[in-house]
Amino acid sequence: MATEKRRPAAAAGARPRSRRRKTVLITAAVVAVVIALLIWEQVAYLYVLSTLAVVALLAVVAFSDIGAARQPASEPPPFDDSAALADGLTAQNASAARPAPRARRRA
């Protein structure tokens, strides 16, 4: 008997690949429907479909759990000193470095 190496039934890459294939098929079907409606000049249906698509997108955004992505209160906020970085200053010398006062012009 010949011994063959068998791959595991649930390969690690199987799930994302099938999800990607499903997404591509759904996208292709939506594109086909839109093109068919454009060819047959059914603009009213396109308006209804686009309105429903926008409503669905807004519902997904409204019910998404964006607040859970916030950092816990125990961690300090990230250091963001964009102005000092743009001027070429570092955190140590940002407070000490100040522009020299201009000399007054005498008339």
Side-chain angles (χ1 to χ4, degrees), residues 12-88:
R15 178 170 249 155
R17 185 173 293 171
S18 65
R19 185 179 297 169
R20 189 178 312 138
R21 183 179 299 148
K22 183 179 177 182
T23 303
V24 169
L25 288 175
I26 290 173
T27 304
V30 169
V31 168
V33 167
V34 168
I35 289 174
L37 289 174
L38 285 171
I39 288 173
W40 289 313
E41 298 177 0
Q42 299 296 321
V43 179
Y45 291 124
L46 284 174
Y47 284 141
V48 171
L49 285 177
S50 64
T51 303
L52 291 176
V54 169
V55 167
L57 178 65
L58 289 174
V60 167
V61 171
F63 291 113
S64 64
D65 194 11
I66 297 173
R70 293 185 181 160
Q71 294 179 351
S74 62
E75 293 182 21
F79 180 73
D80 183 23
D81 198 1
S82 302
L85 292 173
D87 292 337

